[in-house]
Short mmCIF file of all heavy atoms in Angstrom, two decimals:
data_model
loop_
_atom_site.label_atom_id
_atom_site.label_comp_id
_atom_site.label_asym_id
_atom_site.label_seq_id
_atom_site.Cartn_x
_atom_site.Cartn_y
_atom_site.Cartn_z
N LEU A 287 88.79 114.81 95.51
CA LEU A 287 90.10 115.44 95.56
C LEU A 287 90.27 116.48 94.49
O LEU A 287 90.77 117.57 94.70
CB LEU A 287 91.21 114.35 95.51
CG LEU A 287 91.26 113.39 96.68
CD1 LEU A 287 92.21 112.25 96.37
CD2 LEU A 287 91.63 114.07 97.95
N ARG A 288 89.88 116.09 93.27
CA ARG A 288 90.01 117.00 92.14
C ARG A 288 89.22 118.26 92.39
O ARG A 288 89.71 119.38 92.18
CB ARG A 288 89.60 116.33 90.86
CG ARG A 288 89.82 117.14 89.60
CD ARG A 288 89.47 116.40 88.33
NE ARG A 288 90.38 115.25 88.14
CZ ARG A 288 89.96 113.98 88.19
NH1 ARG A 288 88.70 113.71 88.34
NH2 ARG A 288 90.84 113.01 87.99
N ASN A 289 87.97 118.12 92.82
CA ASN A 289 87.11 119.30 93.05
C ASN A 289 87.65 120.21 94.14
O ASN A 289 87.43 121.41 94.13
CB ASN A 289 85.70 118.84 93.42
CG ASN A 289 84.99 118.22 92.25
OD1 ASN A 289 85.36 118.40 91.08
ND2 ASN A 289 83.94 117.48 92.53
N ALA A 290 88.41 119.66 95.09
CA ALA A 290 88.99 120.45 96.18
C ALA A 290 90.36 121.00 95.77
O ALA A 290 90.99 121.68 96.61
CB ALA A 290 89.11 119.61 97.44
N GLY A 291 90.84 120.70 94.58
CA GLY A 291 92.14 121.20 94.15
C GLY A 291 93.31 120.48 94.78
O GLY A 291 94.40 121.04 94.88
N ILE A 292 93.09 119.26 95.24
CA ILE A 292 94.14 118.47 95.86
C ILE A 292 94.77 117.57 94.85
O ILE A 292 94.07 116.70 94.27
CB ILE A 292 93.59 117.67 97.08
CG1 ILE A 292 93.01 118.62 98.11
CG2 ILE A 292 94.65 116.76 97.65
CD1 ILE A 292 92.24 117.94 99.22
N GLY A 293 96.05 117.68 94.64
CA GLY A 293 96.76 116.82 93.71
C GLY A 293 96.72 115.37 94.16
O GLY A 293 96.80 115.07 95.35
N HIS A 294 96.58 114.49 93.19
CA HIS A 294 96.60 113.03 93.50
C HIS A 294 96.87 112.31 92.20
O HIS A 294 96.72 112.87 91.11
CB HIS A 294 95.22 112.61 94.06
CG HIS A 294 94.10 112.82 93.13
ND1 HIS A 294 93.56 114.06 92.86
CD2 HIS A 294 93.43 111.95 92.35
CE1 HIS A 294 92.58 113.93 92.01
NE2 HIS A 294 92.49 112.68 91.64
N ASP A 295 97.33 111.08 92.32
CA ASP A 295 97.58 110.30 91.14
C ASP A 295 97.76 108.84 91.54
O ASP A 295 97.90 108.53 92.72
CB ASP A 295 98.84 110.81 90.46
CG ASP A 295 98.93 110.43 88.98
OD1 ASP A 295 98.04 109.66 88.49
OD2 ASP A 295 99.83 110.92 88.31
N THR A 296 97.74 107.99 90.59
CA THR A 296 98.06 106.58 90.83
C THR A 296 99.58 106.49 90.82
O THR A 296 100.24 106.88 89.86
CB THR A 296 97.49 105.72 89.70
OG1 THR A 296 96.09 105.93 89.61
CG2 THR A 296 97.77 104.23 89.95
N TYR A 297 100.14 106.02 91.91
CA TYR A 297 101.60 105.98 92.04
C TYR A 297 102.23 104.98 91.09
O TYR A 297 103.18 105.32 90.42
CB TYR A 297 101.95 105.69 93.49
CG TYR A 297 103.40 105.98 93.79
CD1 TYR A 297 103.84 107.28 93.88
CD2 TYR A 297 104.28 104.95 94.02
CE1 TYR A 297 105.15 107.58 94.16
CE2 TYR A 297 105.60 105.24 94.32
CZ TYR A 297 106.04 106.55 94.39
OH TYR A 297 107.34 106.84 94.66
N TYR A 298 101.65 103.82 91.04
CA TYR A 298 102.12 102.78 90.12
C TYR A 298 100.97 102.35 89.27
O TYR A 298 100.17 101.52 89.65
CB TYR A 298 102.64 101.54 90.86
CG TYR A 298 103.94 101.79 91.61
CD1 TYR A 298 103.96 101.89 93.00
CD2 TYR A 298 105.13 101.90 90.90
CE1 TYR A 298 105.17 102.08 93.71
CE2 TYR A 298 106.30 102.13 91.57
CZ TYR A 298 106.33 102.24 92.97
OH TYR A 298 107.48 102.41 93.62
N PRO A 299 100.84 102.90 88.02
CA PRO A 299 99.76 102.47 87.15
C PRO A 299 99.87 101.02 86.70
O PRO A 299 98.88 100.39 86.32
CB PRO A 299 99.87 103.43 85.94
CG PRO A 299 101.23 103.97 85.99
CD PRO A 299 101.69 103.89 87.42
N LYS A 300 101.03 100.45 86.80
CA LYS A 300 101.24 99.03 86.53
C LYS A 300 102.05 98.48 87.72
O LYS A 300 102.92 99.15 88.26
CB LYS A 300 102.09 98.81 85.27
CG LYS A 300 101.36 99.12 84.02
CD LYS A 300 102.27 98.75 82.83
CE LYS A 300 101.54 99.08 81.50
NZ LYS A 300 102.40 98.76 80.41
N ALA A 301 101.79 97.25 88.06
CA ALA A 301 102.55 96.61 89.12
C ALA A 301 103.96 96.45 88.69
O ALA A 301 104.27 96.37 87.49
CB ALA A 301 101.93 95.22 89.43
N THR A 302 104.86 96.45 89.63
CA THR A 302 106.30 96.43 89.30
C THR A 302 106.61 95.22 88.40
O THR A 302 107.34 95.35 87.41
CB THR A 302 107.14 96.35 90.56
OG1 THR A 302 106.87 97.48 91.36
CG2 THR A 302 108.62 96.35 90.25
N HIS A 303 106.07 94.06 88.72
CA HIS A 303 106.40 92.89 87.91
C HIS A 303 105.80 92.90 86.50
O HIS A 303 106.12 92.09 85.65
CB HIS A 303 105.91 91.61 88.66
CG HIS A 303 104.44 91.44 88.71
ND1 HIS A 303 103.64 92.17 89.61
CD2 HIS A 303 103.58 90.66 88.01
CE1 HIS A 303 102.40 91.84 89.42
NE2 HIS A 303 102.33 90.93 88.47
N GLN A 304 104.91 93.89 86.23
CA GLN A 304 104.34 94.04 84.91
C GLN A 304 105.07 95.09 84.07
O GLN A 304 104.78 95.27 82.88
CB GLN A 304 102.88 94.45 84.99
CG GLN A 304 102.00 93.36 85.58
CD GLN A 304 100.59 93.88 85.81
OE1 GLN A 304 100.38 95.03 86.21
NE2 GLN A 304 99.63 93.02 85.57
N GLN A 305 106.03 95.77 84.67
CA GLN A 305 106.79 96.80 83.95
C GLN A 305 107.86 96.14 83.12
O GLN A 305 108.32 95.03 83.38
CB GLN A 305 107.32 97.80 84.93
CG GLN A 305 106.22 98.57 85.64
CD GLN A 305 106.72 99.56 86.63
OE1 GLN A 305 107.84 100.04 86.51
NE2 GLN A 305 105.89 99.90 87.62
N GLU A 306 108.26 96.85 82.09
CA GLU A 306 109.15 96.34 81.06
C GLU A 306 110.38 95.54 81.58
O GLU A 306 110.61 94.43 81.14
CB GLU A 306 109.61 97.47 80.16
CG GLU A 306 110.36 97.02 78.93
CD GLU A 306 109.51 96.11 78.03
OE1 GLU A 306 108.30 96.40 77.91
OE2 GLU A 306 110.04 95.16 77.47
N PRO A 307 111.12 96.08 82.55
CA PRO A 307 112.33 95.31 82.98
C PRO A 307 112.03 93.94 83.61
O PRO A 307 112.91 93.12 83.67
CB PRO A 307 112.98 96.23 84.00
CG PRO A 307 112.41 97.57 83.81
CD PRO A 307 111.03 97.37 83.24
N TYR A 308 110.79 93.74 84.07
CA TYR A 308 110.47 92.50 84.79
C TYR A 308 109.53 91.55 84.03
O TYR A 308 109.17 90.52 84.55
CB TYR A 308 109.83 92.87 86.14
CG TYR A 308 110.69 93.78 86.96
CD1 TYR A 308 110.45 95.15 86.99
CD2 TYR A 308 111.75 93.29 87.69
CE1 TYR A 308 111.25 96.01 87.74
CE2 TYR A 308 112.57 94.13 88.43
CZ TYR A 308 112.31 95.49 88.44
OH TYR A 308 113.10 96.31 89.17
N ARG A 309 109.13 91.93 82.83
CA ARG A 309 108.16 91.12 82.13
C ARG A 309 108.56 89.71 81.90
O ARG A 309 107.72 88.82 81.86
CB ARG A 309 107.84 91.80 80.80
CG ARG A 309 107.00 93.05 81.03
CD ARG A 309 106.14 93.36 79.84
NE ARG A 309 105.38 94.57 80.16
CZ ARG A 309 104.99 95.46 79.30
NH1 ARG A 309 105.20 95.22 78.06
NH2 ARG A 309 104.32 96.49 79.70
N GLY A 310 109.79 89.41 81.80
CA GLY A 310 110.26 88.04 81.54
C GLY A 310 110.10 87.16 82.76
O GLY A 310 110.25 85.93 82.66
N ALA A 311 109.81 87.70 83.91
CA ALA A 311 109.72 86.89 85.15
C ALA A 311 108.42 86.05 85.15
O ALA A 311 108.40 85.07 85.89
CB ALA A 311 109.74 87.83 86.37
N HIS A 312 107.38 86.43 84.43
CA HIS A 312 106.11 85.71 84.35
C HIS A 312 105.53 85.40 85.76
O HIS A 312 105.23 84.29 86.09
CB HIS A 312 106.29 84.39 83.57
CG HIS A 312 106.80 84.62 82.17
ND1 HIS A 312 106.04 85.24 81.22
CD2 HIS A 312 108.00 84.34 81.62
CE1 HIS A 312 106.73 85.28 80.11
NE2 HIS A 312 107.93 84.76 80.31
N LEU A 313 105.47 86.44 86.54
CA LEU A 313 104.92 86.32 87.89
C LEU A 313 103.43 86.57 87.89
O LEU A 313 102.91 87.36 87.12
CB LEU A 313 105.58 87.33 88.83
CG LEU A 313 107.06 87.14 89.07
CD1 LEU A 313 107.59 88.34 89.90
CD2 LEU A 313 107.33 85.84 89.81
N SER A 314 102.75 85.88 88.80
CA SER A 314 101.32 86.15 89.01
C SER A 314 101.17 86.65 90.43
O SER A 314 101.36 85.91 91.40
CB SER A 314 100.53 84.85 88.84
OG SER A 314 99.17 85.09 89.17
N LEU A 315 100.89 87.95 90.56
CA LEU A 315 100.71 88.60 91.84
C LEU A 315 99.38 89.32 91.84
O LEU A 315 99.31 90.55 91.70
CB LEU A 315 101.87 89.57 92.12
CG LEU A 315 103.29 88.92 92.09
CD1 LEU A 315 104.34 89.99 92.14
CD2 LEU A 315 103.41 87.96 93.23
N PRO A 316 98.28 88.61 92.02
CA PRO A 316 96.96 89.20 91.84
C PRO A 316 96.64 90.32 92.85
O PRO A 316 95.96 91.31 92.46
CB PRO A 316 95.99 88.01 92.01
CG PRO A 316 96.77 86.94 92.66
CD PRO A 316 98.20 87.15 92.28
N VAL A 317 97.12 90.21 94.06
CA VAL A 317 96.85 91.28 95.04
C VAL A 317 97.56 92.54 94.64
O VAL A 317 97.03 93.64 94.68
CB VAL A 317 97.20 90.83 96.46
CG1 VAL A 317 97.06 92.01 97.46
CG2 VAL A 317 96.35 89.65 96.90
N THR A 318 98.84 92.39 94.24
CA THR A 318 99.61 93.53 93.77
C THR A 318 98.96 94.17 92.58
O THR A 318 98.84 95.40 92.48
CB THR A 318 101.05 93.07 93.40
OG1 THR A 318 101.65 92.48 94.57
CG2 THR A 318 101.90 94.24 92.93
N GLU A 319 98.46 93.36 91.65
CA GLU A 319 97.83 93.91 90.48
C GLU A 319 96.56 94.62 90.83
O GLU A 319 96.23 95.70 90.26
CB GLU A 319 97.54 92.77 89.48
CG GLU A 319 98.82 92.17 88.90
CD GLU A 319 98.62 90.86 88.17
OE1 GLU A 319 97.46 90.56 87.82
OE2 GLU A 319 99.61 90.14 88.00
N GLU A 320 95.78 94.11 91.77
CA GLU A 320 94.55 94.76 92.22
C GLU A 320 94.87 96.13 92.87
O GLU A 320 94.16 97.09 92.69
CB GLU A 320 93.77 93.91 93.18
CG GLU A 320 92.49 94.55 93.68
CD GLU A 320 91.79 93.76 94.76
OE1 GLU A 320 92.09 92.58 94.96
OE2 GLU A 320 90.88 94.33 95.35
N MET A 321 95.91 96.17 93.64
CA MET A 321 96.24 97.39 94.36
C MET A 321 96.60 98.55 93.39
O MET A 321 96.41 99.69 93.73
CB MET A 321 97.39 97.15 95.35
CG MET A 321 97.07 96.14 96.47
SD MET A 321 95.48 96.30 97.30
CE MET A 321 95.39 97.95 97.82
N THR A 322 97.10 98.23 92.21
CA THR A 322 97.42 99.31 91.28
C THR A 322 96.17 100.02 90.84
O THR A 322 96.25 101.17 90.42
CB THR A 322 98.17 98.76 90.02
OG1 THR A 322 97.29 97.90 89.29
CG2 THR A 322 99.45 98.10 90.39
N GLU A 323 95.02 99.38 90.96
CA GLU A 323 93.74 100.01 90.61
C GLU A 323 93.09 100.72 91.78
O GLU A 323 92.14 101.45 91.61
CB GLU A 323 92.81 98.91 90.03
CG GLU A 323 93.32 98.29 88.79
CD GLU A 323 92.46 97.13 88.32
OE1 GLU A 323 91.31 97.03 88.78
OE2 GLU A 323 92.94 96.34 87.52
N ARG A 324 93.58 100.50 93.01
CA ARG A 324 92.91 100.99 94.18
C ARG A 324 93.70 101.97 95.02
O ARG A 324 93.10 102.75 95.79
CB ARG A 324 92.56 99.79 95.09
CG ARG A 324 91.65 98.78 94.37
CD ARG A 324 91.26 97.68 95.25
NE ARG A 324 90.39 98.23 96.33
CZ ARG A 324 89.94 97.54 97.32
NH1 ARG A 324 90.22 96.28 97.43
NH2 ARG A 324 89.18 98.09 98.23
N VAL A 325 95.01 101.98 94.89
CA VAL A 325 95.85 102.86 95.72
C VAL A 325 96.09 104.17 95.00
O VAL A 325 96.40 104.21 93.82
CB VAL A 325 97.18 102.18 96.03
CG1 VAL A 325 98.10 103.11 96.79
CG2 VAL A 325 96.94 100.93 96.88
N VAL A 326 95.85 105.25 95.71
CA VAL A 326 96.07 106.59 95.16
C VAL A 326 97.06 107.34 96.04
O VAL A 326 97.06 107.15 97.25
CB VAL A 326 94.77 107.35 95.00
CG1 VAL A 326 94.11 107.64 96.32
CG2 VAL A 326 94.95 108.60 94.18
N SER A 327 97.90 108.13 95.43
CA SER A 327 98.88 108.93 96.22
C SER A 327 98.30 110.31 96.45
O SER A 327 97.68 110.90 95.53
CB SER A 327 100.16 109.02 95.44
OG SER A 327 100.78 107.77 95.28
N ILE A 328 98.51 110.82 97.63
CA ILE A 328 98.08 112.17 97.98
C ILE A 328 99.31 112.96 98.43
O ILE A 328 100.36 112.37 98.70
CB ILE A 328 97.02 112.12 99.12
CG1 ILE A 328 97.59 111.43 100.36
CG2 ILE A 328 95.77 111.41 98.66
CD1 ILE A 328 96.74 111.53 101.59
N PRO A 329 99.17 114.25 98.53
CA PRO A 329 100.32 115.05 98.97
C PRO A 329 100.77 114.68 100.39
O PRO A 329 99.96 114.64 101.31
CB PRO A 329 99.77 116.50 98.94
CG PRO A 329 98.62 116.47 98.04
CD PRO A 329 98.00 115.09 98.18
N VAL A 330 102.05 114.43 100.53
CA VAL A 330 102.63 114.14 101.83
C VAL A 330 104.01 114.79 101.97
O VAL A 330 104.90 114.28 102.61
CB VAL A 330 102.77 112.58 102.10
CG1 VAL A 330 101.41 111.95 102.29
CG2 VAL A 330 103.54 111.91 100.97
N ARG A 331 104.09 115.99 101.41
CA ARG A 331 105.38 116.72 101.40
C ARG A 331 105.60 117.36 102.78
O ARG A 331 104.66 117.74 103.50
CB ARG A 331 105.31 117.81 100.36
CG ARG A 331 105.01 117.36 98.98
CD ARG A 331 105.02 118.58 98.03
NE ARG A 331 104.37 119.79 98.53
CZ ARG A 331 103.07 120.08 98.39
NH1 ARG A 331 102.26 119.23 97.75
NH2 ARG A 331 102.58 121.19 98.90
N PRO A 332 106.85 117.51 103.14
CA PRO A 332 107.13 118.13 104.44
C PRO A 332 106.80 119.64 104.49
O PRO A 332 106.70 120.21 105.58
CB PRO A 332 108.65 117.91 104.61
CG PRO A 332 109.17 117.69 103.23
CD PRO A 332 108.07 117.07 102.47
N ASP A 333 106.57 120.27 103.35
CA ASP A 333 106.29 121.71 103.36
C ASP A 333 104.79 122.01 103.41
O ASP A 333 104.38 123.18 103.32
CB ASP A 333 106.94 122.36 102.15
CG ASP A 333 106.36 121.90 100.82
OD1 ASP A 333 105.96 120.71 100.75
OD2 ASP A 333 106.34 122.68 99.88
N LEU A 334 103.92 121.00 103.56
CA LEU A 334 102.51 121.22 103.69
C LEU A 334 102.23 122.02 104.96
O LEU A 334 102.75 121.71 106.03
CB LEU A 334 101.72 119.94 103.70
CG LEU A 334 101.64 119.13 102.42
CD1 LEU A 334 101.00 117.80 102.68
CD2 LEU A 334 100.88 119.90 101.36
N THR A 335 101.33 123.01 104.85
CA THR A 335 100.95 123.75 106.04
C THR A 335 99.93 122.95 106.81
O THR A 335 99.30 122.06 106.28
CB THR A 335 100.38 125.14 105.68
OG1 THR A 335 99.13 124.90 104.97
CG2 THR A 335 101.34 125.92 104.80
N ASP A 336 99.69 123.35 108.06
CA ASP A 336 98.63 122.72 108.86
C ASP A 336 97.28 122.83 108.19
O ASP A 336 96.48 121.91 108.19
CB ASP A 336 98.63 123.26 110.25
CG ASP A 336 99.79 122.83 111.10
OD1 ASP A 336 100.53 121.90 110.70
OD2 ASP A 336 100.02 123.48 112.19
N ASP A 337 97.03 124.00 107.61
CA ASP A 337 95.75 124.21 106.93
C ASP A 337 95.60 123.28 105.69
O ASP A 337 94.53 122.73 105.45
CB ASP A 337 95.59 125.66 106.46
CG ASP A 337 95.32 126.61 107.63
OD1 ASP A 337 94.90 126.12 108.70
OD2 ASP A 337 95.53 127.83 107.43
N GLU A 338 96.67 123.11 104.97
CA GLU A 338 96.59 122.19 103.81
C GLU A 338 96.39 120.74 104.24
O GLU A 338 95.59 120.03 103.65
CB GLU A 338 97.93 122.28 103.01
CG GLU A 338 98.09 123.61 102.27
CD GLU A 338 99.45 123.79 101.63
OE1 GLU A 338 100.46 123.40 102.26
OE2 GLU A 338 99.51 124.32 100.54
N ILE A 339 97.02 120.33 105.32
CA ILE A 339 96.87 118.98 105.83
C ILE A 339 95.44 118.80 106.28
O ILE A 339 94.77 117.78 106.00
CB ILE A 339 97.83 118.72 106.99
CG1 ILE A 339 99.27 118.67 106.46
CG2 ILE A 339 97.50 117.39 107.67
CD1 ILE A 339 100.35 118.67 107.51
N GLU A 340 94.88 119.80 106.94
CA GLU A 340 93.50 119.71 107.44
C GLU A 340 92.52 119.61 106.25
O GLU A 340 91.57 118.81 106.31
CB GLU A 340 93.16 120.93 108.29
CG GLU A 340 91.81 120.87 108.95
CD GLU A 340 91.66 119.74 109.92
OE1 GLU A 340 92.65 119.30 110.53
OE2 GLU A 340 90.52 119.24 110.09
N THR A 341 92.77 120.34 105.22
CA THR A 341 91.92 120.28 104.02
C THR A 341 92.00 118.90 103.39
O THR A 341 90.96 118.34 103.02
CB THR A 341 92.34 121.36 102.99
OG1 THR A 341 92.14 122.65 103.60
CG2 THR A 341 91.50 121.27 101.72
N ILE A 342 93.17 118.35 103.27
CA ILE A 342 93.34 117.00 102.71
C ILE A 342 92.61 115.99 103.57
O ILE A 342 91.83 115.15 103.03
CB ILE A 342 94.84 116.64 102.59
CG1 ILE A 342 95.51 117.55 101.54
CG2 ILE A 342 95.02 115.18 102.23
CD1 ILE A 342 97.04 117.51 101.60
N VAL A 343 92.79 116.04 104.86
CA VAL A 343 92.13 115.07 105.74
C VAL A 343 90.62 115.19 105.71
O VAL A 343 89.92 114.17 105.56
CB VAL A 343 92.65 115.25 107.21
CG1 VAL A 343 91.81 114.43 108.18
CG2 VAL A 343 94.11 114.88 107.32
N GLN A 344 90.09 116.39 105.73
CA GLN A 344 88.65 116.58 105.67
C GLN A 344 88.08 116.10 104.35
O GLN A 344 87.03 115.46 104.30
CB GLN A 344 88.30 118.04 105.90
CG GLN A 344 88.47 118.52 107.33
CD GLN A 344 88.14 119.98 107.50
OE1 GLN A 344 87.73 120.66 106.54
NE2 GLN A 344 88.27 120.47 108.73
N THR A 345 88.75 116.38 103.29
CA THR A 345 88.29 115.99 101.94
C THR A 345 88.29 114.46 101.83
O THR A 345 87.32 113.88 101.31
CB THR A 345 89.15 116.60 100.88
OG1 THR A 345 89.16 118.03 101.00
CG2 THR A 345 88.70 116.24 99.48
N LEU A 346 89.35 113.82 102.30
CA LEU A 346 89.40 112.34 102.29
C LEU A 346 88.30 111.73 103.13
O LEU A 346 87.62 110.77 102.75
CB LEU A 346 90.75 111.85 102.67
CG LEU A 346 91.89 112.07 101.66
CD1 LEU A 346 93.20 111.76 102.30
CD2 LEU A 346 91.64 111.25 100.40
N ASN A 347 88.09 112.32 104.33
CA ASN A 347 87.04 111.79 105.21
C ASN A 347 85.67 111.90 104.57
O ASN A 347 84.86 111.00 104.65
CB ASN A 347 87.07 112.51 106.54
CG ASN A 347 88.19 112.02 107.44
OD1 ASN A 347 88.68 110.92 107.28
ND2 ASN A 347 88.62 112.85 108.39
N GLN A 348 85.40 113.02 103.91
CA GLN A 348 84.11 113.19 103.23
C GLN A 348 83.98 112.19 102.07
O GLN A 348 82.89 111.67 101.82
CB GLN A 348 84.00 114.61 102.71
CG GLN A 348 83.83 115.66 103.77
CD GLN A 348 83.87 117.07 103.22
OE1 GLN A 348 84.13 117.27 102.01
NE2 GLN A 348 83.65 118.03 104.09
N ALA A 349 85.05 111.91 101.39
CA ALA A 349 85.00 111.02 100.25
C ALA A 349 84.71 109.56 100.65
O ALA A 349 84.09 108.82 99.87
CB ALA A 349 86.33 111.09 99.45
N VAL A 350 85.13 109.16 101.81
CA VAL A 350 84.96 107.77 102.18
C VAL A 350 83.84 107.55 103.18
O VAL A 350 83.57 106.41 103.58
CB VAL A 350 86.27 107.16 102.77
CG1 VAL A 350 87.38 107.18 101.74
CG2 VAL A 350 86.70 107.88 104.02
N SER A 351 83.14 108.62 103.57
CA SER A 351 82.08 108.43 104.54
C SER A 351 80.69 108.38 103.83
O SER A 351 80.55 108.61 102.69
CB SER A 351 82.04 109.53 105.60
OG SER A 351 81.90 110.81 104.98
#
């Protein structure tokens, strides 16, 4: 994604229950915690052109194949 100039980021670098307002809850949510390391956000704005969408789709397909 980076090499193709496609913006991306980790949406939640920490699980919600690990963030400051919730730390006192002492929850164990291992799947949620794992997903913070695996889920990445990609552009999904309504103003993307068809060409931009195609580039994103092709780049993601190449990355996972």
Side-chain angles (χ1 to χ4, degrees):
L287 294 171
R288 184 175 297 114
N289 291 341
I292 299 171
H294 62 285
D295 204 351
T296 304
Y297 195 70
Y298 290 107
K300 290 184 181 179
T302 302
H303 70 283
Q304 293 174 322
Q305 295 180 25
E306 190 61 38
Y308 304 100
R309 287 207 181 151
H312 302 292
L313 296 172
S314 175
L315 302 171
V317 174
T318 301
E319 293 167 18
E320 179 185 348
M321 298 315 308
T322 64
E323 299 173 16
R324 300 182 67 183
V325 174
V326 65
S327 297
I328 59 170
V330 290
R331 304 180 318 270
D333 63 330
L334 289 172
T335 66
D336 288 345
D337 287 342
E338 290 171 322
I339 293 168
E340 186 64 28
T341 298
I342 293 166
V343 170
Q344 287 179 1
T345 302
L346 288 171
N347 284 337
Q348 290 172 355
V350 298
S351 61

